[in-house]
Amino acid sequence: MARKPRKVRPKKINVPKGYDSMWEYDIHKSILTGWKHHTSNIEYTVSHTYKTDFIKTIDGKIILLEAKGRFWDYAEYSKYIWIRKALSFMVDNYELVFLFQKPYSPMPQAKKRKDGTKRTHAEWAETNNFKWYSEDTLPEEWTT
């Protein structure tokens, strides 16, 4: 089943600098003149859960093995960076590792390089410091 494309957010037309909309500008200049505008930044976290595909302890390290045929979009592959970050706060002996069905297939929305190639799943993993394997390269001690 194909995913629905996201709706494109309308462009800001003639909105004064620093405001998100004309309405925001209008109310600040009329009924909210005594209010400060865009002066506070509040950091927040959206809580999610992750269920790993496979898990096994190898040499004292807990390996979370994520089997990926392919990534579908930015939201999907960026979540793994957040998962690794969350794991680093929990304990030291967890590692998220990818098992790619086709590690050299192009990433979604990957742009063509000058040489005509596109960024692959393997390159994404290496760039983001994830260990990865294919079925052919999975260590023998991991296959039992």
Side-chain angles (χ1 to χ4, degrees):
M1 177 187 232
R3 294 182 182 205
K4 282 185 175 180
R6 292 189 178 140
K7 288 188 177 183
V8 177
R9 191 174 194 171
K11 301 254 187 259
K12 296 178 188 177
I13 301 172
N14 299 325
V15 176
K17 187 174 174 84
Y19 291 91
D20 297 326
S21 67
M22 276 306 296
W23 181 68
E24 186 178 272
Y25 173 78
D26 289 342
I27 61 174
H28 188 231
K29 295 302 177 193
S30 60
I31 63 174
L32 300 178
T33 56
W35 290 66
K36 294 179 183 175
H37 180 260
H38 282 193
T39 58
S40 299
N41 292 325
I42 300 169
E43 190 174 318
Y44 67 94
T45 304
V46 178
S47 180
H48 293 282
T49 57
Y50 166 68
K51 184 181 265 187
T52 187
D53 291 335
F54 300 94
I55 187 168
K56 186 176 184 177
T57 303
I58 300 174
D59 297 328
K61 185 175 264 192
I62 300 167
I63 305 295
L64 307 175
L65 190 62
E66 183 65 28
K68 295 303 299 176
R70 62 168 299 189
F71 289 122
W72 288 98
D73 57 20
Y74 173 81
E76 182 186 12
Y77 59 82
S78 66
K79 80 178 178 184
Y80 294 106
I81 295 167
W82 290 106
I83 293 165
R84 183 182 55 210
K85 188 175 183 178
L87 287 170
S88 71
F89 290 116
M90 293 170 44
V91 286
D92 292 336
N93 62 338
Y94 276 77
E95 184 176 10
L96 180 59
V97 177
F98 287 91
L99 177 61
F100 289 125
Q101 183 181 26
K102 296 178 181 176
Y104 301 107
S105 62
M107 291 289 287
Q109 294 93 34
K111 294 178 181 163
K112 275 191 180 180
R113 300 176 184 141
K114 289 180 182 178
D115 66 0
T117 62
K118 293 183 176 183
R119 183 181 207 187
T120 67
H121 286 68
E123 289 172 321
W124 172 87
E126 291 164 4
T127 299
N128 290 286
N129 299 313
F130 284 107
K131 196 178 286 183
W132 68 270
Y133 298 101
S134 65
E135 287 181 76
D136 298 334
T137 63
L138 197 63
E140 193 173 319
E141 62 271 18
W142 287 29
T143 61
T144 56

